[in-house]
Amino acid sequence: MPVDDVVKIVFKAKDADSEFESSSYDYDVVAQGQGGGGGVFPLLRAKVTVDLGSQIGAKGSYLATELGESGVYTNVEVGALSGAEQQAIDITFGVTNGDGEVGTTTPSLISPDARAGANFNNPLGDNASATTFKVEELKSLDNVTSTDVENNVDHTSESNSIQNVQEGEVYSYINAAGAKGYIKILTITGANDNRVATFEFLVQIVL
């Protein structure tokens, strides 16, 4: 259905006397993610669910959120990407000791440019981009709009390049391109430094 079209929805109900009553509502069609923003804020990409593995697992640890489900890469795959493709990777996953260093106790979201300093492998090298994370009080990504993301994701006074995470919690992030988003951790499986995080995320489309 084309953006800017007006859709009329009519509801009809029959009462006890077999008489019909009706009510109608008009809706403006806006682009996906606008949520009533009317074009003021960047659009949101559709919500996506992915699995990321930690440093010794078989699953990919690297994610370019702008690519959705197809943006997950293993360590080997990352090394074969072009410089621009490597720079698009904005989230990685690993297990730390809760202190910002590679470890076995604490699942963590890791900014690509923080991996080397935390003693994780860093196949991105100089193409590792910077992302910040922050714990949020939000508990669900359902019904989050572009307006919500633009107005409520604020890392001015507080953020982390390595964010310890837990199941059921929501975290915001801002990547090097300035795109804002939310991540909800659905499950974390495995043990020690071999974990898999399943999470859903929303992110702005930055043109």
Side-chain angles (χ1 to χ4, degrees):
M1 188 171 296
V3 172
D4 296 327
D5 272 8
V6 176
V7 177
K8 181 183 288 293
I9 298 178
V10 180
F11 298 91
K12 289 185 177 182
K14 184 186 292 185
D15 61 20
D17 298 321
S18 295
E19 298 291 332
F20 281 97
E21 295 290 336
S22 66
S23 182
S24 64
Y25 301 87
D26 291 339
Y27 294 90
D28 293 326
V29 178
V30 298
Q32 179 180 348
Q34 283 305 101
V40 177
F41 303 120
L43 303 181
L44 289 181
R45 298 185 187 278
K47 184 169 64 176
V48 173
T49 301
V50 296
D51 293 336
L52 287 189
S54 60
Q55 53 265 37
I56 69 167
K59 288 186 176 291
S61 301
Y62 304 84
L63 172 65
T65 58
E66 69 177 16
L67 299 179
E69 294 174 339
S70 63
V72 177
Y73 300 100
T74 65
N75 188 63
V76 173
E77 291 169 336
V78 164
L81 297 177
S82 69
E85 290 170 329
Q86 290 181 339
Q87 290 167 14
I89 293 172
D90 49 355
I91 293 173
T92 76
F93 177 69
V95 181
T96 69
N97 281 329
D99 57 0
E101 291 286 328
V102 64
T104 60
T105 64
T106 309
S108 303
L109 296 173
I110 306 165
S111 172
D113 72 339
R115 292 184 67 88
N119 294 315
F120 284 89
N121 60 323
N122 180 34
L124 296 170
D126 292 339
N127 289 321
S129 64
T131 298
T132 56
F133 304 96
K134 182 182 175 184
V135 181
E136 299 289 348
E137 294 182 0
L138 192 67
K139 295 302 180 185
S140 173
L141 302 190
D142 294 342
N143 303 315
V144 170
T145 69
S146 62
T147 306
D148 297 328
V149 174
E150 181 65 24
N151 289 341
N152 299 332
V153 176
D154 183 359
H155 292 187
T156 303
S157 60
E158 177 187 0
S159 66
N160 302 294
S161 60
I162 298 178
Q163 177 66 60
N164 301 337
V165 296
Q166 299 180 49
E167 287 186 2
E169 296 299 315
V170 172
Y171 307 87
S172 62
Y173 70 98
I174 304 177
N175 67 21
K180 299 178 179 182
Y182 283 120
I183 294 168
K184 178 172 182 179
I185 306 296
L186 301 177
T187 62
I188 300 173
T189 57
N192 301 317
D193 56 355
N194 188 4
R195 315 274 184 120
V196 174
T198 300
F199 62 86
E200 58 185 15
F201 67 90
L202 289 168
V203 64
Q204 291 176 326
I205 301 172
V206 176
L207 302 177

